[in-house]
Amino acid sequence: MNQKNLFKRSALAAAVAIVSSNVYAAGFQLNEYTAAGLGRSFSGEGAIADTAASGSRNPATMTMFNRPAFSMGAIYVDPDVSVTGKSPVTGASTSDDNIAPNQWVPNIHFIMPLDDQWAVGASATSNYGLATEFSDNYPAGPIGGETDLTTINTNLSVAYRLNQNFSFGVGFDAVYAKAKIRRTAGELVPIKTGGLLPADTEVAKLKGDEWGYGWNAGILYEVDDNNRYGFTYRSEVKIDFDGEYRNGIPQALGGTGGHTVPGSLTLNLPEMWEVSGYNKVAPKWAIHYSLAYTSWSQFQELKATGSNGQTLFQKEEGYHDAYRIALGTTYYYDDNWTFRTGIAFDDSPVPADNRTISIPDQDRFWVSAGTTYAFNKDASVDVGVSYMHGQTVNISEKVADGVPNYEFQAKGTAMLYGANFNYSF
């Protein structure tokens, strides 16, 4: 096997992972922006307006607040993702457990009503995130390694009430993305070089951080106090990564010899639409539901260029549009206690042929429950918990030219725990 081909394949795997980390719907397009929403599987989020977090989902809901409102909290994600398989070259096990580390996803929100018609708000959340990690000696190192993405979405928004039925809102998003990808040689390079380059040799390290900007808008239609519907749009966000790339492969074999070289990659986080509803069907009971649609078909290819404008790699992705559907119910027990539950289904946008072990995306099913305890009319605490179950999927990945694809089976589940403190002034 040509070492330059392995280097190029490793570089491509790293770049694909960094982009796919950003453009992943079911697994890594995060919903975790409030504990109350977590407890109902994020159903009805564009219409409920029960905490200040609603302004970041549908800015039009801010007109429902008659006092300044604040909410702050975090959701703890405890995933259990594993892959199983054997090397087609040596027969060595390529199985690995717990490839996704635990993560905290914080959030903070504020809404300020200006008068009976106008309101403004601000929030900071995370819309995208990913972390998977394999050992340095992993046999399929060029497609394993370490993949880490962190994003922060800061939002400023304003809302206007036209009349007792219609409200409109618009917001500005600034998204900060920081990514790191690292890949190792695995078992193939040591075989070909007679141990000259060990399995833990760094064959690709790519990192970068950048800002991207977008906007969001929403409509709220209130039939009456007990029935309302929301429509939300979040625009595409373009992020131009100007990052650093290096590896430990000697230059004679097509590597950088440990030297850092510049590279750039442009990605577009696709637009998203959501329709939500809230209906209080009894004095103490309400139902809520949502349908979200993400235009992942906008992501058809991946292309990166060098500092001189040359094409470093180009790969067809062929993603398809994906949806998320959620249904929940809320029980208003008394002035202090509120209970909620919800279920949801996340559709994956990734074609089966394009799945990778660094991001083994799959359709997911959610089951959630949560509660709110109000200390008084001003202060309350939300807690929520969700179980997320992913279907078992098969993955076939190419590591190098002239080598059979590595075959895997991947499955994943996750527990999510959240808490938020809310205060109205």
Side-chain angles (χ1 to χ4, degrees):
M1 179 190 63
N2 187 296
Q3 300 305 317
K4 291 186 179 181
N5 288 338
L6 176 60
F7 160 69
K8 292 177 181 178
R9 179 63 191 173
S10 301
L12 178 60
V16 169
I18 198 171
V19 175
S20 298
S21 301
N22 286 271
V23 292
Y24 240 68
F28 306 106
Q29 186 180 48
L30 300 177
N31 282 289
E32 290 77 17
Y33 75 107
T34 170
L38 180 68
R40 53 180 172 253
S41 293
F42 302 100
S43 59
E45 293 303 292
I48 292 183
D50 53 354
T51 73
S54 66
S56 66
R57 193 73 165 212
N58 182 358
T61 60
M62 296 191 300
T63 62
M64 295 189 64
F65 291 79
N66 55 24
R67 293 192 294 165
F70 169 81
S71 182
M72 180 176 66
I75 292 177
Y76 181 69
V77 183
D78 182 12
D80 182 10
V81 183
S82 62
V83 296
T84 57
K86 288 185 178 181
S87 165
V89 178
T90 65
S93 173
T94 55
S95 300
D96 205 343
D97 294 324
N98 298 320
I99 64 173
N102 300 348
Q103 297 285 336
W104 285 97
V105 184
N107 65 82
I108 185 169
H109 312 269
F110 180 71
I111 292 176
M112 168 70 78
L114 302 179
D115 54 32
D116 291 340
Q117 289 184 296
W118 291 94
V120 295
S123 65
T125 60
S126 180
N127 289 341
Y128 295 86
L130 166 70
T132 56
E133 186 173 353
F134 295 81
S135 68
D136 287 349
N137 293 310
Y138 186 65
I143 58 175
E146 179 183 357
T147 305
D148 195 352
L149 169 76
T150 302
T151 65
I152 300 173
N153 186 333
T154 55
N155 175 265
L156 297 175
S157 53
V158 60
Y160 173 73
R161 177 178 288 279
L162 179 65
N163 52 43
Q164 65 179 3
N165 300 116
F166 283 99
S167 296
F168 303 89
V170 64
F172 169 76
D173 292 304
V175 181
Y176 174 73
K178 182 178 181 180
K180 175 185 176 183
I181 305 296
R182 183 173 179 271
R183 298 290 182 263
T184 56
E187 63 184 4
L188 299 182
V189 170
I191 293 174
K192 287 305 235 180
T193 63
L196 176 64
L197 295 177
D200 60 357
T201 299
E202 186 178 83
V203 298
K205 185 174 183 179
L206 183 66
K207 65 178 181 179
D209 60 284
E210 195 53 75
W211 285 89
Y213 304 96
W215 60 279
N216 63 89
I219 301 173
L220 180 68
Y221 175 62
E222 299 174 71
V223 179
D224 51 39
D225 291 341
N226 296 324
N227 300 277
R228 50 189 177 268
Y229 305 92
F231 175 76
T232 308
Y233 172 79
R234 187 171 297 275
S235 78
E236 179 181 73
V237 175
K238 179 180 179 181
I239 299 181
D240 295 316
F241 274 104
D242 290 319
E244 299 176 348
Y245 179 81
R246 76 179 189 196
N247 61 44
I249 297 178
Q251 293 179 341
L253 297 178
T256 71
H259 299 291
T260 299
V261 297
S264 62
L265 184 148
T266 298
L267 66 96
N268 297 302
L269 307 183
E271 63 188 6
M272 184 183 77
W273 310 75
E274 185 173 33
V275 178
S276 304
Y278 171 88
N279 306 104
K280 196 168 185 180
V281 295
K284 292 190 174 185
W285 284 96
I287 59 171
H288 26 82
Y289 36 89
S290 295
L291 174 64
Y293 188 83
T294 305
S295 300
W296 290 116
S297 58
Q298 297 170 348
F299 183 56
Q300 291 299 308
E301 71 169 1
L302 170 65
K303 184 177 182 180
T305 58
S307 57
N308 296 324
Q310 73 275 28
T311 299
L312 298 178
F313 52 79
Q314 188 170 1
K315 182 177 183 294
E316 296 297 324
E317 293 294 339
Y319 279 29
H320 57 75
D321 294 345
Y323 66 91
R324 184 180 196 275
I325 187 168
L327 172 67
T329 184
T330 296
Y331 177 59
Y332 302 97
Y333 180 72
D334 57 25
D335 291 340
N336 298 107
W337 289 98
T338 299
F339 300 94
R340 57 184 65 90
T341 61
I343 57 174
F345 176 78
D346 276 326
D347 176 41
S348 171
V350 184
D353 293 344
N354 292 346
R355 291 194 187 105
T356 67
I357 61 168
S358 61
I359 21 182
D361 195 49
Q362 55 205 254
D363 295 341
R364 290 168 168 83
F365 180 75
W366 295 60
V367 179
S368 308
T371 186
T372 295
Y373 179 75
F375 301 99
N376 48 51
K377 293 183 178 181
D378 299 326
S380 64
V381 171
D382 303 321
V383 295
V385 60
S386 287
Y387 171 72
M388 187 169 59
H389 181 83
Q391 65 176 146
T392 300
V393 294
N394 295 315
I395 299 172
S396 179
E397 274 200 81
K398 181 179 179 180
V399 175
D401 293 337
V403 176
N405 283 10
Y406 281 59
E407 305 289 338
F408 304 90
Q409 192 173 77
K411 61 180 180 180
T413 62
M415 293 296 302
L416 298 90
Y417 310 91
N420 269 68
F421 173 73
N422 311 300
Y423 192 82
S424 296
F425 299 89

